[in-house]
Amino acid sequence: MDALAISSVSIFADFRKDTWMQTLILSFQSLGVIYGRLSTAPLYVLESIGPGDISSPDEMHELFSFIFWTLTVIPLLKYAFIVLKADDDGEGGPFSLYSLLCRHAKVGLIPSNRGSSKILNQEEEEISSDPSKGKPENKARKAIEKYKSSHYLLLFLALLGACMILSDAVLTPAISVLSATSGLGRSLAKISKVFSSDETKDHVANALKKYVPTPVACAILVCLFTLQHHGTKRIGCLFAPIVITWLIFISGFGLYNIIHYDVQILRAVSPVYMLRFMKKINLRHWKLLSSIVLCIAGSEAMFADLGHFSKKSIKITFICFIYPVLLLTYAGQAAFVSKNLHADGAFHLSESVPNRSLEHIFAVLSLFASAVGSQATITAGFSIIHQCQALDCFPRVKVVHTSDKIFGQVYVPDANWMFMVLSIAFTIGLHDISELGKATGLAVTVGLLVTTCLMSLVIALYWEKHLFASVCFLLFFGSIEAIYLSSTLTSFFHGAWCLIILFLFFMTIMASWHYGTLKKYESDVENKVSIEWLTDYSPGLGVSRVPGIGFVYSDVDIGIPAFFTHFITNIPAFHQVLVFVTFKASPVPYVHASRRYLIGRVGPKEYKIYRCIVRYGYHDNVRDTDDFEDNIISSIGEFIAREEYDQEALNSPEGRMIVLGTPLNDGNGLITVTETNSSEYGPNMGESESRRVLLHDPSASRSPPPVNKKRVRFMLPPKSPQMRPSVRQELEEIIDARESGTAYILGQSHLTARQGSNLFKRLLVMTYVFLDKNSREPPVALNIPNAALLEVGTVYKI
């Protein structure tokens, strides 16, 4: 295991050791978030089958056999017992599997991982090169690392899996809510027949069935997406009782239907029934499987939503409650249908309610349950967007962490409203459960197949099992999912084409952003200049140093970024202390705070120029913190104190670099003093002293600071008299520079396509430029006063 993974694991070691009480609480909450989708699938699994597609009760028995074994093999065997073990420090989804592969095989294509790999990987190589392991060379890893095409294939699989989850977050709310409102329309139609005259009752009933479901479904969708800002914990606690009530209700009349209609349905658990079905397979039978696959819709959420809960809670809830209850429900519905094949609406779950007086209760309960059923995919969509954004595969959007204890629980407002608009659009545009079911089935099967492919590589490269085990996993689960995939493709022109639209939409966004970010990074690296330009040639340009600290943010981690040379050429001056800050995404969920910063020196000591590489995982949120620059200054002070004697320093082309993190205030570096003012100058400070503290914020002189504003000052440690004079003097200069003022220089690179570029390249660049202009500002600029921020732009033609 590499260093980043070790530090990542240590962060949440205490949290992951859940007590049984915590596990029960998380299990309860998971019912309202993860398993709502699986629980409401009975609403549309059989209803998506067209009238007349099933010719005999025996075929219904054979289809139930498929449902039983599909639920047993995919969510139970594959996810609960195998895939959940491949978590990335508690995080799941296709990108977590991809990050595991990136760390254990050199297949990463993320721009942030390519530049400083030689520096950042030294620490990983030292820890991972354990001579005691003595494991033979992995031939599969060697083959994958050798061919560049395999790197692009793995990234495409990760993006494809992400697109399927995002598409599912659009389609699932539409089909779940529409199927429930269809039942409501039937109930209202039956009520209308009681109060309408004989001449109009059929007309009124048909009108209610036709025109009520879609508007009501749109209204429910608006309410559902409006609730998302409350966070996973509150939504889970709110929705869990609904799911429990729903499951008890439908399993209860499922048991009644088995006893009352067809006890022989229980014999269909034998795989012999599936073999009978396959022997007489034809195009009609093959299309039926595209509806059956919907019974496992929501299985991927068990893994994708892993960051919101724990493996133990997800596994216990499914095995002990969800799995047996769903089997009972499907068996009861299949028993009812087998005896009422030609009855009107027999395939809808509401028709199998044994007592007609319970139909109205079922209609209301199904409305609430269908809204809950969409929660799993919506939550998974938020997690996937957060991961993709951190790894430069999705535009910058606001991410809200809704829990202080479980860091994987996030809410993405922009994505939430996007999901809502698209879901309502497909509900209005199709307003047909069968067509929505075909599109959802295709999304489910493609997502399952992507996870199987990535998981087979994880077995070989990360778990380092024998290649035979990896191939067996791929062939066994992949063949089952490929059968379902082929069946959904037969219904491509009957609704499955909708998924292609969503796939192209999301893939265009993600591919364009990845391509643009990669090209900007490569252009920055190509146009950078050496350190000698700044230290040797800049004095000849008449460059002067001004008091204060300047933070220069760029993606270049070695050398001087091109935009800064452009800045110096036009304005020949820079600050007394200069810090080049670079953010580097690591393919791990979290980087421990104690190992977050990589600090080094640029040029000779007398120039007071430093390099800070900030490492973060795809679930970290380091750039939105208010004390970010204060932590960097403290780390620089610790670097100055430890520079000469540190034994763990890493070598870089610019000199020694030390891995640092949250300041310890152990007397070896700068001491931070936090002050909180309740008035303009504070209750216990004179005006002159307060002015000195506030000078680092240029906007402070324009308007009084808010009440209870936190300010951080730096002091020399108590051991400073025993320090070497050069170290003490440099620390004093850091303190003086901080109190003289702080400025932030941010590079903005703009892309344009060269003349003569092909249409595909121009489309990617145009899409990226549009997304860049309309996405959130770079995180580093969010908490900086406008008066202290200077943006320097450069234009690259690619």
Side-chain angles (χ1 to χ4, degrees):
M1 184 182 292
D2 53 41
L4 296 182
I6 291 175
S7 60
S8 173
V9 171
S10 61
I11 306 177
F12 304 106
D14 293 335
F15 168 74
R16 294 302 175 190
K17 295 178 181 178
D18 297 325
T19 64
W20 276 106
M21 181 58 67
Q22 291 172 328
T23 300
L24 290 176
I25 293 174
L26 290 175
S27 298
F28 176 76
Q29 294 174 358
S30 68
L31 285 168
V33 177
I34 295 179
Y35 294 115
R37 173 79 184 279
L38 279 167
S39 302
T40 55
L43 282 170
Y44 47 80
V45 170
L46 295 183
E47 188 181 4
S48 61
I49 297 176
D53 285 345
I54 299 180
S55 58
S56 65
D58 290 338
E59 282 189 1
M60 191 64 250
H61 287 198
E62 292 161 1
L63 289 179
F64 171 71
S65 183
F66 271 95
I67 292 176
F68 173 82
W69 285 106
T70 303
L71 279 171
T72 302
V73 172
I74 302 299
L76 181 63
L77 181 59
K78 176 185 172 182
Y79 280 94
F81 287 105
I82 301 177
V83 177
L84 283 178
K85 296 180 180 179
D87 66 302
D88 189 11
D89 189 26
E91 299 297 330
F95 259 90
S96 68
L97 296 177
Y98 178 71
S99 71
L100 289 175
L101 295 174
C102 288
R103 293 208 305 275
H104 296 84
K106 298 177 182 178
V107 297
L109 290 172
I110 303 301
S112 298
N113 291 332
R114 299 180 64 184
S116 60
S117 58
K118 292 183 179 180
I119 303 173
L120 298 178
N121 289 340
Q122 289 182 54
E123 184 184 18
E124 302 173 25
E125 291 173 359
E126 292 175 2
I127 297 181
S128 60
S129 59
D130 186 357
S132 62
K133 292 184 179 180
K135 293 183 179 179
E137 184 179 8
N138 194 312
K139 294 181 179 180
R141 179 185 292 109
K142 185 177 180 180
I144 291 177
E145 292 176 352
K146 180 179 179 181
Y147 298 101
K148 196 73 173 180
S149 58
S150 63
H151 302 183
Y152 287 101
L153 177 60
L154 289 178
L155 178 61
F156 174 76
L157 284 176
L159 294 178
L160 177 61
C163 287
M164 291 302 103
I165 292 178
L166 297 180
S167 300
D168 212 9
V170 173
L171 295 172
T172 297
I175 188 175
S176 297
V177 176
L178 188 60
S179 61
T181 55
S182 297
L184 177 64
R186 289 187 180 90
S187 296
L188 293 176
K190 292 178 180 179
I191 295 175
S192 67
K193 290 182 179 181
V194 177
F195 298 98
S196 301
S197 61
D198 295 338
E199 295 80 8
T200 61
K201 64 180 181 179
D202 291 335
H203 177 73
V204 172
N206 292 332
L208 288 173
K209 289 181 181 180
K210 183 177 181 180
Y211 297 111
V212 167
T214 301
V216 175
C218 293
I220 294 175
L221 288 174
V222 172
C223 296
L224 171 66
F225 285 101
T226 304
L227 289 173
Q228 296 303 314
H229 71 278
H230 290 291
T232 304
K233 181 179 179 180
R234 293 182 179 179
I235 292 177
C237 293
L238 175 65
F239 286 174
I242 298 176
V243 174
I244 294 174
T245 305
W246 165 256
L247 287 174
I248 293 175
F249 187 78
I250 61 175
S251 62
F253 67 72
L255 179 61
Y256 171 84
N257 288 333
I258 293 173
I259 299 173
H260 185 73
Y261 289 102
D262 190 3
V263 181
Q264 303 300 319
I265 193 69
L266 297 179
R267 294 184 177 182
V269 298
S270 170
V272 174
Y273 285 78
M274 288 194 301
L275 295 177
R276 291 179 187 172
F277 186 87
M278 297 301 292
K279 284 182 179 180
K280 56 183 180 181
I281 196 72
N282 54 35
L283 183 60
R284 179 178 65 86
H285 289 85
W286 206 252
K287 288 182 178 180
L288 289 176
L289 295 181
S290 64
S291 297
I292 298 303
V293 74
L294 293 176
C295 72
I296 55 173
S299 300
E300 183 66 23
M302 294 172 63
F303 186 51
D305 286 340
L306 182 57
H308 295 254
F309 302 97
S310 66
K311 289 185 289 186
K312 186 188 296 184
S313 62
I314 294 174
K315 189 174 181 178
I316 290 176
T317 306
F318 181 79
I319 296 175
C320 298
F321 185 59
I322 299 297
Y323 178 70
V325 166
L326 285 180
L327 291 181
L328 199 60
T329 301
Y330 283 116
Q333 189 178 9
F336 175 82
V337 172
S338 65
K339 298 300 181 182
N340 300 274
L341 276 178
H342 304 293
D344 183 28
F347 289 89
H348 195 277
L349 186 62
S350 61
E351 294 298 321
S352 62
V353 177
N355 193 327
R356 297 296 97 182
S357 61
L358 295 177
E359 282 189 3
H360 308 309
I361 298 177
F362 173 87
V364 175
L365 191 58
S366 65
L367 287 177
F368 287 101
S370 63
V372 176
S374 310
Q375 189 60 42
T377 54
I378 297 173
T379 305
F382 294 156
S383 297
I384 290 297
I385 287 178
H386 189 200
Q387 296 176 16
C388 293
Q389 179 184 241
L391 296 177
D392 293 327
C393 291
F394 200 87
R396 296 181 298 267
V397 292
K398 183 178 181 181
V399 177
V400 179
H401 289 261
T402 58
S403 174
D404 296 330
K405 296 180 179 179
I406 305 178
F407 293 91
Q409 296 185 0
V410 295
Y411 164 65
V412 184
D414 297 332
N416 182 62
W417 306 127
M418 177 180 67
F419 292 157
M420 184 188 76
V421 171
L422 291 174
S423 186
I424 291 176
F426 277 95
T427 302
I428 297 175
L430 295 179
H431 57 267
D432 184 84
I433 296 175
S434 179
E435 293 189 1
L436 285 171
K438 299 299 187 291
T440 304
L442 183 57
V444 170
T445 52
V446 173
L448 294 174
L449 200 54
V450 167
T451 300
T452 298
C453 294
L454 293 176
M455 186 64 202
S456 63
L457 293 174
V458 168
I459 293 173
L461 304 182
Y462 176 47
W463 289 353
E464 297 189 346
K465 301 295 183 181
H466 196 278
L467 188 61
F468 179 75
S470 175
V471 172
C472 288
F473 179 89
L474 178 63
L475 292 179
F476 179 69
F477 293 105
S479 60
I480 296 173
E481 292 156 1
I483 291 174
Y484 281 120
L485 177 61
S486 63
S487 67
T488 55
L489 290 176
T490 58
S491 304
F492 181 81
F493 296 104
H494 297 87
W497 57 269
C498 299
L499 180 65
I500 304 301
I501 297 177
L502 288 173
F503 167 73
L504 292 176
F505 175 74
F506 288 119
M507 182 58 81
T508 300
I509 292 176
M510 299 170 75
S512 299
W513 189 262
H514 175 78
Y515 177 80
T517 304
L518 177 62
K519 291 301 179 182
K520 280 177 62 174
Y521 175 78
E522 291 176 347
S523 300
D524 285 336
V525 172
E526 290 174 0
N527 291 276
K528 70 180 181 181
V529 298
S530 63
I531 302 300
E532 288 73 18
W533 184 92
L534 186 63
T535 58
D536 297 342
Y537 301 116
S538 60
L541 301 175
V543 176
S544 59
R545 307 292 290 267
V546 297
I549 294 182
F551 288 96
V552 182
Y553 294 91
S554 75
D555 292 330
V556 177
D557 47 33
I558 298 177
I560 305 300
F563 76 86
F564 190 72
T565 62
H566 177 66
F567 170 76
I568 295 297
T569 303
N570 290 274
I571 305 176
F574 59 89
H575 292 80
Q576 172 188 354
V577 175
L578 199 64
V579 183
F580 289 100
V581 183
T582 303
F583 293 95
K584 290 298 171 185
S586 299
V588 293
Y590 309 95
V591 175
H592 197 281
S594 64
R595 311 192 69 81
R596 187 174 303 283
Y597 306 113
L598 193 62
I599 306 293
R601 192 184 295 277
V602 178
K605 285 186 177 182
E606 57 268 18
Y607 279 87
K608 307 297 183 296
I609 303 176
Y610 307 93
R611 172 90 59 197
C612 177
I613 299 176
V614 185
R615 303 185 291 184
Y616 65 97
Y618 55 75
H619 268 301
D620 276 325
N621 214 29
V622 297
R623 292 185 281 186
D624 286 343
T625 56
D626 294 329
D627 57 351
F628 175 67
E629 282 78 17
D630 296 332
N631 291 335
I632 292 181
I633 294 175
S634 298
S635 298
I636 291 175
E638 189 175 352
F639 166 80
I640 294 171
R642 294 172 50 183
E643 181 180 12
E644 298 295 334
Y645 62 85
D646 192 277
Q647 301 297 324
E648 299 181 359
L650 306 177
N651 294 320
S652 75
E654 297 176 348
R656 294 161 59 86
M657 302 193 78
I658 300 178
V659 178
L660 299 169
T662 306
L664 301 176
N665 284 348
D666 56 357
N668 294 322
L670 294 175
I671 302 297
T672 58
V673 178
T674 303
E675 299 174 350
T676 303
N677 287 351
S678 57
S679 61
E680 181 175 358
Y681 293 111
N684 298 317
M685 288 195 298
E687 179 177 347
S688 60
E689 185 179 1
S690 297
R691 191 185 303 275
R692 183 179 62 179
V693 175
L694 295 174
L695 272 175
H696 76 279
D697 186 353
S699 64
S701 59
R702 301 184 180 184
S703 58
V707 177
N708 294 329
K709 179 71 175 181
K710 184 181 75 172
R711 299 173 182 84
V712 178
R713 297 181 60 194
F714 293 94
M715 299 173 56
L716 288 175
K719 298 179 182 180
S720 59
Q722 288 79 34
M723 287 182 173
R724 294 188 306 276
S726 60
V727 173
R728 185 171 61 251
Q729 179 182 356
E730 192 170 1
L731 292 176
E732 289 176 345
E733 291 177 356
I734 295 288
I735 296 174
D736 293 338
R738 167 61 187 271
E739 296 194 354
S740 295
T742 303
Y744 307 86
I745 304 173
L746 179 63
Q748 290 283 18
S749 301
H750 304 280
L751 295 182
T752 59
R754 293 182 183 273
Q755 291 185 354
S757 300
N758 59 65
L759 180 62
F760 181 68
K761 182 177 181 180
R762 297 173 73 89
L763 177 63
L764 287 177
V765 174
M766 289 174 58
T767 305
Y768 173 80
V769 171
F770 174 79
L771 294 173
D772 190 33
K773 290 182 178 179
N774 292 276
S775 61
R776 199 185 191 206
E777 287 294 322
V780 71
L782 294 176
N783 298 321
I784 298 175
N786 291 332
L789 177 63
L790 177 64
E791 294 187 357
V792 182
T794 53
V795 179
Y796 296 129
K797 291 186 177 182
I798 60 174

